[in-house]
Structures are given as C-alpha cells and as structure tokens.
Amino acid sequence: MPKRSEEMLMDLWMSLLLVWITCVPCVSMTPIAGQSKSTQSGGSTAVASGLGEGQRLLSRAKRGWVWNQMFVLEEFSGPDPILVGRLHTDLDVRNKSIKYVLAGEGAGTIFAIEPLTGNIHAMKRLDREEKAEYTLTAQVINAETDEPLEPPSEFIIKVQDINDNPPQFIKGPYRASVPEMSAVGTTVTQVTATDADDPVYGNSAKLVYSILEGQPYFSVDPNSATIKIALHGMDREMREEYLVVIQAKDMGGHMGGLSGTTTVTITLTDINDNPPKFSKSLYEFVIPEDLPTGKMGGKVKANDRDIGENAKSTYNILEGDEQGMFEITTDTQTQEGILRLKRPLDYESKKAYTLKVEATNIRSEPISGGPFKDTATVKIVVEDSDEPPVFSKPIYFLEVNENAPIDTVIGAVTARDPDATGSLVRYVIDRHTDLERQFNINVNDGKITLAKPLDRETDMWHNITVTATESRNHSQISRAIVAIRVMDINDNAPEFATEYEAFLCENGKPGQVIQTVSAVDKDDPIQGHYFDYRLVPEMLNNPNFTIKNNQDNSISVLAKHDTFRRQKQEMYFLPIIVTDNGNPPMSSTNTLTIRVCGCSKDGIVQSCNVEAYVLPIGLSMGALIAILACIILLLVIVVLFVTLRRHKNEPLIIKDDEDVRENIIRYDDEGGGEEDTEAFDIATLQNPDGINGYLPRKDIKPDLQFMPRPRKACFIELFVFTRYRCGSQMLLAYKRLK
C-alpha cells in the first residue's frame, strides 16, 4: 500500500511539472511594471522585499531582453503552429518602429518569430531522438531602416522528451546453455534492452524486466535482466531445450509504459549422471571351434543415457577366462563390446565357457554419485567342426648323407585328426616342391625315403612340402615343411685352385720361388681342410725343381739350379699329388707348367718367345729373312707360271672328256731330293693295271690296284713331289711325268 501511494504521488508531481513547463514561459514573457521601470532607469538598484537590517544590497547589470529558457514537447502536433515562447526587449514600449529577427538552427524552417510581438512558433513536428536542442540568435532591429538596435542574443530551445520509444533487445534472440542438474539460482545468461527515450528526464527510459514464458524453470532479475535457474533437478535426459520469453517495460513498469520482448533458447548440457546399463543380463553365443583367432565371436552392448564422452564405456572380462581364450574391445562408433578369440578353440578339450563381463564409464570421476558400471553374463558354446589333420611339428629338419643308397629312410612326419572321430591320415609329397622326384613318402606312416642319389656339392638343402589328408574327407588338408640337409662325405679329390703357369728366368738363382700353389676341395669337412702336397714318385729325385710346404695349405715350387736355357728346353711339366684329410682320403695329380723365359737383371720377365730354341744355333736374323724371301720368290714364280698357262688356255693337266684316272701318292718320310724318284716304279704308276708284264704291288690295296679300263686312251700326268734343302729348310718342289 505505501508503494502504491508513492507511485500516485509521483504521477501527481509529473502532471504538475508538465503544466508548469507549459504555462510559465507565457507568464514570464509579460512585462512587469516594476521590472520595466527598473530596467529603463539604468543604474537603479533592485530591492528585495523583506530584507532585514544589515543585509547587503545586490546590484545587477542592465538587460535588454527578458525571457526564460524555452521548451517544446516532441511529437506535438495540431492544426496551428505551436507557441514555443515569446521574446521581449525593454525597447519595446508599444513602439511600432521595431521588429524581432530570428537566426540560427532551424530559423525560418522549423521555428518562426512574429516580428512585432516576438512570439516564437514551432512549424514542424519535432523528435527529440533526432535532435534534442536548437541554438538560435534573436535581435531587435529598426523596422524602417533595418538597423540593429541591440546586439544579438543567443538562446536555446530544448525538445522535451515524451515516452514515444519502446524498449528494444538489439542482440536478440539469444542462445545459452547450462549444465543439467544445476542448483537453483545458477546464472544462465544476461540479456540487455535499450530505450531511445531520454534516460535523465522522467521514467521514459527506466526499464523493468519480467519473464513471460519459461516458468517455473527459470527466473529473471527485474533490474539486471539476469536469467537464473529456478527449478531443482533439471534433467537433460528428460528435456534438453527450453524457450524463455523476456519482456522489458519502460516507465518503471507502470501502466502506460511501452514494452519489448525477446526469446532466449536455453540448452541443458550433459553431465555424467547416468551409468551404463546392459540391455540383457545374459548373452549366449555359439562359436565354431575353427573360428580364426582375432575374429569376432559376438557383441554385447551397455546403453548410457548420457552423450559424448560421458556415454563412452570400456568392457572387461572379470571371470571365466582363466586360459586367456577371449578378449573384449570397444567399438568406438557403436560403443559395443566386441568379443574376439585370442587362442584357437578346441571342442575336444572344452565345449563351453561362461564369462562375466563388465562395462565401465571412461570418466572415472562422475559429477553425480556412482557406481557408473554394470555387469552381464556371457555364455559361449563351442561348436564342433571337422578340422584338418594336425602335424606334430610345423617344420621338420632331417639329415641324409650324400651318395646314400636309394630307398634309404631319411626320417618321418606324423599328423593326427584332432576330431573325436579320429580319421586316418594319408601323406603325399607336393611334387611342385620336388620337381626332380628325389624323395618318396609312405602314404600310411609318413616315412620319407631317398629316390635318387644326392650330391651335396650340387644342392646342400632340399625343402619339400608334405600334405596330410583325412581319408574320409579329402577336403581337410594340412601341410608341413620338411627341410632335408645333405651331409658331406669325402667324395671329391682336391685340385689346384686354378690352372697355374709358372715362369722361370734363365738367370734365376737356386732356391728361387717359382710359383705358390694352393688347392681347393668341393667337400666341406667339419674339421676343415688340410692338404698334403708331394711330387709323383718318379719325380722325387727331380734335378730341376723341389717343393716346400708353407703350412697354410699351400706350397712353394723352388728351382734347384740356375742353368735353365730356352734353347735347351723351353717348358717343364711338374706333376704334383694333392691329398686331403678326409676319411678315406682323396687325392689327385695336377701338373704345373713351367716356362723358361728371358728376364732382366731385376728378374722381370721380358720374352718367352719360341724363336730362341726353334732356330738352330748360329742362325741370325738376317739368315731367317733370306730364307723367308726365298720362299716368297718361289711362290711368286709358281703364281706367274699358273697365270701364263691359263692365259694360253693350256690346261696344266690333260684329262679325257669321259674318263679321268688320277693316282695320288702320299708319303711322309723325308727324301733326298732327286733320289726320291727311285723310290717309285714309274712303269707301275703309268700302268696301274699291271699290263705289259708289270706285276701288281703288294703294298697297295687290291681295290686300288685294279681300276676299270677307260673306253678311250687317256694321258696320265703324274707329279712327283721332291724335297729340296734350301739352306737349313726343307723346300717342296715337283716335276712332271708323262
């Protein structure tokens, strides 16, 4: 009640103030007799009634104008111009020879003055929000001469505010968020409204806020417009979004005030206030025993009403997996628990598993109370499957000696059917891994035997694949690798590491190392190689060379004297026996070729040519050139002779057109020149048929002695080749026999 009385008193005072503002300017413009006189008298003093004794008398300067500050209400309109106020000067004593002039902001357009009376009128409707005050200048001039009678005087006309603008929320509509389950009084957000009216005059811009929609969930402070939680236990899982309408009213919220509204969309953000919950308490899965490891065997799901990070959970196996057969992981997309195999299942050893699975929120410290976890039971039944045979080993390592006899048993592989039925297993070698068919296997017991001899020096390892197949189901196949190592035996004799060719200087010294010889052996004994070198028995007392063991499986060949000459013997052949340390030992004879060469004084080989010993002693280079020239000359003569005969078209050999018989006699024994003609019976050569009393020769085959007679007489030309000695060379010549 006191508040209501205070509001009524405030409204009364506002009404009186408006009446005073409107009426006082008009009253103040009317001349006061005492005032006019005192103004005209010049230096007279103004006496205030009721002054006590001893009070000081105040004096004032002369004023020519009399008016108060002028006001005009905004948005005021009517059929006639609005009287704003009246200007008056002391010079205006019913003197019709003066007039008032107005200048400044809005003069002549917004404001007009009556020249004789000084009344100022507003010609247009004014808006304080556009312009709050106008500064004008008034002056009194002579109406006839337009000469100023007083200096100009400046005054202000203020536009008085009225409540013509409602509050506005410039930044609306608003969006805000607050965590769910927040306490009552928790601040959500703050809104702000503005009013274009004058905030210092009256209550036109005094705003009061209220909530029109959104109760009882939220409240708003009437002065600060702060929105707060008004209801306890607001749960996002029940309702996530709210629409709140806020009103701002001016005039302090009283009747007649203007108002504006805005909307605030408030969202409740999630907190971890809900635990995960399995959709079922018991899950059952049937998993075949041949399911590969790492594959999914089933899914479980714990639902969480929260969202985002608050809804994420991890899964664990608490009980029932003592052997570590399973693992459970979280699908990040669906938040499901994926049950996978870590080890292969075996129906024959265990047919069922019962697991206890737990789902726990990732966030370890939820805002609300716990527990934030849940458990479920998972029952797994193992389904029997027809499994392939299982080898006792994934890889078998076997050994066999090289050159072992055929059908030697190298080793065996074993496989069994893991199923309860226990089917028989048959073994086969994959021939793609044994293209040369060097091995065989017994189909029933898996024994591997040798089919062909093996040579370690050719292949040291043989890798074959053996397949095991169930006899009652041929589709069930398994494979195993068998690595066979060929063991070495001493079946290769050592030999020289390379084909050595040594060079011996004619001027070499006795004991000089001619060549260092080493040997190699294709065998690979465990204890390593050790070679023994010796000369062949018939060369033990070799006068030219000897050998020395270097204690590193090599020897050095040494010269025994320094009388080696190329003219005497160019090359020497030294056979050496090399024996290994195998069981039994193997040996081979290798020949070292030693060439005698001419060397410099420093022992550098210079020439190993054969001319040094091919030519007889004492034959100089000039003699050799002469012999070659002689041979060339003879060849030129023969070529010229043949050319001349062809030029004359005379054949060198007369042949019958129908039958030609030719006897070619070849012999290799050295002859004495012309004396070689006596070694042949010319009559026999001319008559090979033995006619005219000549007997056939016994040293010629019968089929060559008697040839068929020609039908015509023929001439046989026989050429007897004779050797001549030209200097030291044997030259070949011929003569013609008819």
Side-chain angles (χ1 to χ4, degrees):
M1 188 67 182
K3 185 176 181 181
R4 180 63 179 168
S5 301
E6 183 180 351
E7 292 178 355
M8 294 176 63
L9 182 62
M10 183 65 70
D11 293 341
L12 179 61
W13 278 107
M14 290 297 296
S15 301
L16 293 175
L17 180 62
L18 290 174
V19 172
W20 181 81
I21 291 173
T22 306
C23 298
V24 168
C26 299
V27 175
S28 63
M29 292 301 175
T30 57
I32 303 175
Q35 189 178 11
S36 300
K37 290 179 180 180
S38 63
T39 303
Q40 293 174 0
S41 63
S44 63
T45 61
V47 181
S49 62
L51 291 176
E53 276 185 346
Q55 288 183 336
R56 182 181 175 186
L57 296 177
L58 301 176
S59 63
R60 63 177 184 176
K62 176 184 176 182
R63 290 189 58 185
W65 297 96
V66 180
W67 68 78
N68 291 331
Q69 191 177 32
M70 297 182 184
F71 296 89
V72 61
L73 286 175
E74 66 170 333
E75 305 293 344
F76 188 84
S77 62
D80 298 323
I82 305 169
L83 177 63
V84 177
R86 181 181 180 184
L87 300 179
H88 184 72
T89 181
D90 294 342
L91 300 178
D92 185 6
V93 185
R94 300 186 183 279
N95 188 356
K96 297 182 179 180
S97 62
I98 65 171
K99 68 176 180 179
Y100 296 91
V101 179
L102 189 65
E105 296 178 337
T109 55
I110 299 176
F111 302 102
I113 189 170
E114 294 180 358
L116 298 178
T117 63
N119 293 333
I120 299 175
H121 295 83
M123 309 301 293
K124 293 183 179 180
R125 191 175 185 178
L126 300 179
D127 187 0
R128 189 199 69 83
E129 284 71 38
E130 291 183 2
K131 192 170 181 62
E133 61 182 27
Y134 297 86
T135 302
L136 295 98
T137 303
Q139 192 174 22
V140 179
I141 62 175
N142 191 316
E144 297 177 356
T145 63
D146 291 337
E147 294 180 357
L149 300 178
E150 287 184 357
S153 179
E154 189 178 83
F155 67 95
I156 296 174
I157 299 178
K158 288 189 175 182
V159 182
Q160 193 173 23
D161 182 51
I162 64 172
N163 190 20
D164 61 340
N165 290 282
Q168 292 183 348
F169 292 90
I170 304 301
K171 298 181 179 180
Y174 296 86
R175 297 192 68 89
S177 62
V178 64
E180 62 174 330
M181 297 296 177
S182 295
V184 175
T186 302
T187 299
V188 179
T189 187
Q190 185 180 23
V191 297
T192 303
T194 58
D195 196 320
D197 293 325
D198 192 354
V200 298
Y201 178 76
N203 293 327
S204 298
K206 184 179 181 181
L207 304 180
V208 175
Y209 298 91
S210 62
I211 183 168
L212 301 181
E213 185 178 342
Q215 295 175 329
Y217 308 105
F218 302 95
S219 63
V220 64
D221 186 280
N223 297 318
S224 64
T226 301
I227 301 174
K228 300 179 180 181
I229 295 289
L231 185 65
H232 176 73
M234 297 180 66
D235 191 359
R236 185 201 65 83
E237 286 73 34
M238 299 297 296
R239 183 177 177 182
E240 185 175 3
E241 193 171 86
Y242 297 84
L243 183 65
V244 178
V245 178
I246 302 297
Q247 182 190 61
K249 190 175 183 180
D250 59 11
M251 296 298 293
H254 298 140
M255 295 182 61
L258 303 178
S259 64
T261 60
T262 187
T263 59
V264 182
T265 302
I266 301 175
T267 303
L268 297 183
T269 58
D270 184 60
I271 64 172
N272 191 17
D273 60 340
N274 292 280
K277 186 69 176 175
F278 282 103
S279 58
K280 296 187 297 183
S281 61
L282 176 63
Y283 293 85
E284 294 184 351
F285 303 110
V286 177
I287 302 177
E289 66 171 330
D290 58 353
L291 182 69
T293 57
K295 293 296 183 179
M296 182 184 67
K299 295 181 181 179
V300 297
K301 177 67 181 294
N303 299 310
D304 196 324
R305 298 177 62 191
D306 296 323
I307 60 174
E309 293 294 325
N310 297 323
K312 293 182 178 180
S313 300
T314 58
Y315 297 87
N316 298 300
I317 299 175
L318 299 180
E319 300 175 2
D321 189 26
E322 292 77 10
Q323 299 178 355
M325 303 293 294
F326 305 94
E327 66 176 352
I328 188 167
T329 58
T330 304
D331 188 329
T332 57
Q333 300 296 327
T334 63
Q335 290 300 306
E336 293 177 316
I338 309 300
L339 190 66
R340 303 179 188 274
L341 282 181
K342 289 178 63 178
R343 297 173 57 187
L345 296 174
D346 188 5
Y347 173 82
E348 287 72 28
S349 61
K350 192 169 183 178
K351 298 178 175 58
Y353 297 86
T354 301
L355 310 178
K356 186 177 181 181
V357 179
E358 180 186 63
T360 308
N361 275 151
I362 292 179
R363 290 195 172 182
S364 58
E365 296 181 0
I367 297 177
S368 301
F372 285 81
K373 59 180 65 175
D374 193 20
T375 59
T377 301
V378 179
K379 187 176 181 179
I380 299 172
V381 177
V382 181
E383 183 181 38
D384 188 23
S385 300
D386 190 6
E387 300 175 83
V390 178
F391 281 95
S392 60
K393 299 178 183 179
I395 300 177
Y396 292 84
F397 292 95
L398 304 178
E399 294 180 349
V400 60
N401 290 328
E402 64 176 328
N403 297 333
I406 296 176
D407 294 333
T408 299
V409 177
I410 302 172
V413 296
T414 57
R416 65 175 183 85
D417 183 9
D419 299 321
T421 56
S423 175
L424 295 178
V425 177
R426 298 176 62 86
Y427 303 92
V428 176
I429 294 178
D430 186 355
R431 292 303 177 182
H432 291 91
T433 61
D434 185 24
L435 297 176
E436 298 182 2
R437 296 181 175 270
Q438 294 177 300
F439 307 95
N440 291 326
I441 190 170
N442 190 298
V443 295
N444 297 317
D445 58 14
K447 289 184 178 180
I448 299 175
T449 57
L450 193 62
K452 292 182 179 180
L454 301 178
D455 185 5
R456 189 201 67 85
E457 286 70 38
T458 302
D459 288 307
M460 183 181 300
W461 284 92
H462 297 270
N463 295 321
I464 62 175
T465 300
V466 176
T467 61
T469 309
E470 290 185 11
S471 58
R472 63 182 179 85
N473 186 359
H474 294 171
S475 63
Q476 297 298 328
I477 302 174
S478 58
R479 291 173 171 80
I481 297 174
V482 180
I484 301 174
R485 180 181 180 182
V486 182
M487 304 301 294
D488 184 45
I489 63 172
N490 194 27
D491 60 343
N492 289 279
E495 57 186 12
F496 280 174
T498 184
E499 294 184 3
Y500 294 102
E501 185 178 10
F503 297 94
L504 174 63
C505 293
E506 289 181 316
N507 57 352
K509 297 179 181 180
Q512 177 183 358
V513 177
I514 302 172
Q515 180 70 45
T516 300
V517 177
S518 62
V520 293
D521 195 331
K522 294 181 180 179
D523 296 322
D524 188 15
I526 299 177
Q527 66 275 15
H529 287 292
Y530 176 77
F531 301 122
D532 177 62
Y533 301 86
R534 68 180 185 276
L535 298 176
V536 296
E538 57 270 21
M539 298 290 288
L540 290 177
N541 298 322
N542 190 312
N544 299 315
F545 307 101
T546 185
I547 60 175
K548 183 184 72 172
N549 194 337
N550 296 328
Q551 304 301 323
D552 59 353
N553 279 342
S554 67
I555 60 171
S556 297
V557 180
L558 309 177
K560 284 187 174 183
H561 58 82
D562 57 355
T563 58
F564 296 97
R565 296 294 181 267
R566 285 176 291 172
Q567 294 81 1
K568 181 179 179 182
Q569 185 172 348
E570 180 203 11
M571 288 189 298
Y572 294 87
F573 300 97
L574 184 64
I576 300 174
I577 300 175
V578 185
T579 306
D580 60 19
N581 59 333
N583 187 18
M586 301 287 291
S587 62
S588 66
T589 302
N590 300 265
T591 302
L592 175 64
T593 302
I594 303 173
R595 185 185 295 273
V596 181
C597 301
C599 301
S600 65
K601 293 181 179 180
D602 299 331
I604 300 175
V605 177
Q606 291 182 335
S607 174
C608 296
N609 296 332
V610 299
E611 69 271 7
Y613 68 89
V614 171
L615 298 179
I617 299 176
L619 184 60
S620 63
M621 185 61 66
L624 179 60
I625 295 174
I627 293 172
L628 292 176
C630 182
I631 294 173
I632 294 172
L633 180 61
L634 289 176
L635 291 176
V636 171
I637 294 173
V638 172
V639 171
L640 291 175
F641 178 75
V642 173
T643 303
L644 291 174
R645 292 299 298 267
R646 287 183 178 178
H647 183 70
K648 294 180 179 180
N649 293 326
E650 295 181 359
L652 296 177
I653 301 174
I654 301 176
K655 298 181 180 180
D656 194 355
D657 294 335
E658 296 181 0
D659 188 14
V660 175
R661 178 176 301 165
E662 181 179 24
N663 289 334
I664 300 174
I665 306 301
R666 178 180 179 183
Y667 59 97
D668 297 325
D669 55 332
E670 295 185 1
E674 294 292 342
E675 299 172 355
D676 285 341
T677 56
E678 298 177 358
F680 300 94
D681 192 339
I682 301 303
T684 303
L685 293 175
Q686 292 179 347
N687 188 8
D689 295 334
I691 305 175
N692 300 327
Y694 293 104
L695 296 177
R697 293 188 55 177
K698 296 180 180 180
D699 57 347
I700 300 177
K701 295 181 180 181
D703 54 349
L704 296 178
Q705 294 184 30
F706 302 100
M707 304 292 290
R709 292 179 177 273
R711 288 176 292 178
K712 294 183 179 180
C714 64
F715 296 95
I716 301 175
E717 290 185 353
L718 298 178
F719 296 88
V720 178
F721 291 84
T722 306
R723 291 178 182 153
Y724 292 91
R725 185 177 300 274
C726 179
S728 62
Q729 299 295 318
M730 301 300 296
L731 302 180
L732 186 65
Y734 69 93
K735 70 178 181 177
R736 182 179 179 188
L737 300 178
K738 292 185 178 180

